[in-house]
């Protein structure tokens, strides 16, 4: 499996780590997960069931980015109606930026990570605004998926604790 768009070093290094794991998952052989979490290789193996063509992979990554951007936009529309135009411009600039386009058209776990980051941000907003158990469970599952894709998401846990503490104080007017 080759890709003409993966020519820079980071993509080559990650390709060497993710592709063998994805191929072992496809052949139902337990992979050795000593260098990578299995989130992105599992994503690749699901796509490669259809076709081992990288263009199909890029299409699925682009659709995932589009879905996550629309999901976050709909969340903003629901809770922040007066800011929807500004947010629509911001999310449009983000998904059409070179950063996002490079991630979509390369086989890197960052592309899936950014999508799930947008989705988990949406669930965090929904959880705080609605205080429903269902949204908190979905937010927790999306954070677990982020950690499954890239372990760097473990560093979000202290940040999330501080964010939740801030919103809790402001919601219930607790003064220190």
């Amino acid at each position: 499996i080759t890709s003409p768009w993966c020519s820079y070093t980071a993509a080559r290094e990650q390709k060497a780590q993710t592709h063998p794991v994805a191929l072992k998952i496809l052949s139902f052989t337990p992979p050795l997960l000593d260098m990578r979490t299995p989130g992105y290789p599992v994503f690749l193996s699901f796509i490669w069931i259809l076709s081992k063509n990288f263009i199909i992979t890029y299409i699925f990554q682009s659709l995932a980015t589009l879905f996550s951007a629309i999901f976050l936009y709909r969340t903003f529309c629901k809770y922040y109606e007066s800011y929807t135009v500004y947010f629509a411009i911001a999310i449009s600039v983000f998904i059409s930026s070179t950063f996002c386009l490079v991630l979509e058209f390369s086989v890197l776990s960052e592309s899936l990570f950014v999508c799930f980051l947008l989705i988990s941000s949406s669930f965090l907003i929904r959880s705080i605004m609605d205080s429903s158990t269902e949204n908190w469970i979905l937010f927790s599952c999306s954070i677990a998926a982020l950690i499954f894709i890239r372990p760097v998401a473990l560093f979000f846990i202290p940040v999330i604790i501080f964010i939740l503490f801030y919103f809790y104080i402001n919601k219930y007017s607790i003064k220190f």
Side-chain angles (χ1 to χ4, degrees):
I1 302 171
T2 59
S3 172
W5 292 286
C6 290
S7 60
Y8 58 100
T9 307
R12 285 184 184 168
E13 289 175 9
Q14 198 173 101
K15 181 179 167 183
Q17 296 170 1
T18 57
H19 293 188
V21 173
L23 292 172
K24 284 190 176 189
I25 290 171
L26 276 175
S27 66
F28 299 106
T29 307
L32 179 64
L33 299 170
D34 59 344
M35 307 250 329
R36 210 30 82 204
T37 52
Y40 193 67
V42 167
F43 173 74
L44 285 179
S45 63
F46 281 133
I47 293 172
W48 290 351
I49 288 172
L50 300 173
S51 172
K52 291 184 183 173
N53 187 347
F54 276 101
I55 293 174
I56 302 294
T57 305
Y58 304 148
I59 290 170
F60 272 96
Q61 289 180 165
S62 296
L63 289 174
T65 301
L66 182 63
F67 167 74
S68 61
I70 290 172
F71 186 65
L72 187 58
Y73 173 74
R74 289 183 53 86
T75 299
F76 251 77
C77 287
K78 184 176 180 181
Y79 300 108
Y80 304 104
E81 290 178 15
S82 61
Y83 296 107
T84 55
V85 173
Y86 302 117
F87 186 74
I89 293 169
I91 201 75
S92 299
V93 167
F94 174 72
I95 65 172
S96 62
S97 68
T98 55
F99 170 76
C100 201
L101 291 175
V102 164
L103 290 180
E104 285 179 20
F105 294 104
S106 57
V107 183
L108 294 170
S109 62
E110 283 84 355
S111 61
L112 195 61
F113 184 77
V114 169
C115 294
F116 272 90
L117 190 59
L118 293 175
I119 290 170
S120 62
S121 299
S122 180
F123 282 130
L124 178 62
I125 293 169
R126 288 171 182 255
S127 301
I128 290 169
M129 300 304 275
D130 287 343
S131 296
S132 72
T133 306
E134 176 184 316
N135 283 324
W136 283 113
I137 290 170
L138 291 171
F139 171 67
S140 299
C141 290
S142 65
I143 291 294
L146 275 173
I147 295 169
F148 190 64
I149 295 166
R150 291 190 52 89
V152 73
L154 284 170
F155 293 107
F156 289 141
I157 293 172
V159 173
I160 290 168
I161 290 170
F162 285 123
I163 289 171
L164 293 176
F165 185 68
Y166 171 78
F167 282 119
Y168 181 79
I169 288 172
N170 287 332
K171 185 172 185 177
Y172 295 108
S173 300
I174 299 172
K175 302 293 180 195
F176 289 104

